[in-house]
Amino acid sequence: MTFTQKLTFADYLALEDTGIEGRAELIEGELIALPPESRINTEIATFVFSSLLAIAIPHYLLKLYSCEVQTPVLEPRDAANRYPDLVLIREEHRALCDRRMTITLEMPPPLWVMEVVSPGKTNRDRDYIRKRAQYAAVGIPEYVIVDPEEQAVLVLRLEQGEYIEAGRYTGECPLQSPTFPALNLTAAQVLSAGQ
């Protein structure tokens, strides 16, 4: 399907069929298809998903590659929507997202998001800089960046509209998540899930 005019986010939400198989980001009014996730990223995200289920986080509140978050466009070429690798939604999102698993700017933000960084400068900048700024602007309380290349897990906590580093974890260091204090994982366990 070809669109002759630039789409607004409302236009995008109203589409029955985007003409794109899979997920797409809305960038400057155009839908850009997202490539499939890598094996490493998928295995890490699935491992963390399973670990959260093991500490009794309800499965229906965890969204693995299936929750779209509307984000403000803060700079040119920012996407107006993001698909975090793993999201913890709020109970009220279940009713708000009956038709479509999209959390808009008018809704309360998700409680927690995680991204696994793909190789390359563009991907690093997107996860460490662009998504960080956009997720902070949305008001997501905790943002976790898993970086297989750096062999590190970065936990960011929102304070006064900006993310501050709650911890950078490597090796056998136990992760400390403000959202999931019962989570008993080390950085090495998370990172080795993709090897």
Side-chain angles (χ1 to χ4, degrees):
M1 179 177 297
T2 304
F3 301 102
T4 56
Q5 64 184 32
K6 302 276 186 187
L7 296 171
T8 65
F9 201 78
D11 295 335
Y12 166 65
L13 287 178
L15 291 175
E16 293 291 325
D17 178 17
T18 63
I20 295 175
E21 189 173 327
R23 303 173 305 158
E25 288 180 334
L26 183 64
I27 300 175
E28 296 182 345
E30 294 181 39
L31 285 176
I32 309 297
L34 292 172
E37 291 292 334
S38 72
R39 177 195 61 80
I40 292 170
N41 290 24
T42 302
E43 290 175 3
I44 289 171
T46 303
F47 173 76
V48 174
F49 174 84
S50 299
S51 300
L52 292 173
L53 291 176
I55 61 166
I57 303 301
H59 72 280
Y60 54 84
L61 295 180
L62 291 170
K63 302 300 173 192
L64 184 64
Y65 300 117
S66 62
C67 180
E68 176 181 34
V69 178
Q70 182 183 12
T71 52
V73 174
L74 303 174
E75 289 190 7
R77 302 295 302 160
D78 272 352
N81 61 318
R82 299 291 188 179
Y83 288 89
D85 295 330
L86 187 55
V87 180
L88 174 67
I89 65 170
R90 297 169 187 264
E91 188 71 44
E92 61 262 38
H93 288 138
R94 296 179 69 208
L96 293 170
C97 298
D98 262 351
R99 183 183 155 284
R100 177 182 178 145
M101 194 64 241
T102 301
I103 298 173
T104 65
L105 295 174
E106 293 78 33
M107 297 177 188
L111 294 168
W112 178 92
V113 295
M114 184 188 85
E115 297 283 4
V116 181
V117 182
S118 296
K121 181 177 175 11
T122 300
N123 292 320
R124 296 184 74 68
D125 287 350
R126 183 173 43 249
D127 287 347
Y128 276 98
I129 301 169
R130 300 307 329 130
K131 288 181 184 179
R132 181 177 179 158
Q134 288 181 295
Y135 290 160
V138 168
I140 300 170
E142 186 175 338
Y143 174 30
V144 175
I145 301 171
V146 178
D147 192 335
E149 190 173 293
E150 293 289 321
Q151 287 291 290
V153 177
L154 180 64
V155 176
L156 301 168
R157 186 179 71 243
L158 192 65
E159 281 193 14
Q160 299 175 338
E162 292 188 21
Y163 284 121
I164 61 155
E165 191 173 303
R168 184 177 187 280
Y169 304 95
T170 59
E172 296 304 320
C173 247
L175 301 179
Q176 294 181 8
S177 166
T179 306
F180 304 114
L183 187 63
N184 187 20
L185 291 176
T186 66
Q189 287 173 305
V190 171
L191 292 157
S192 67
Q195 296 176 358

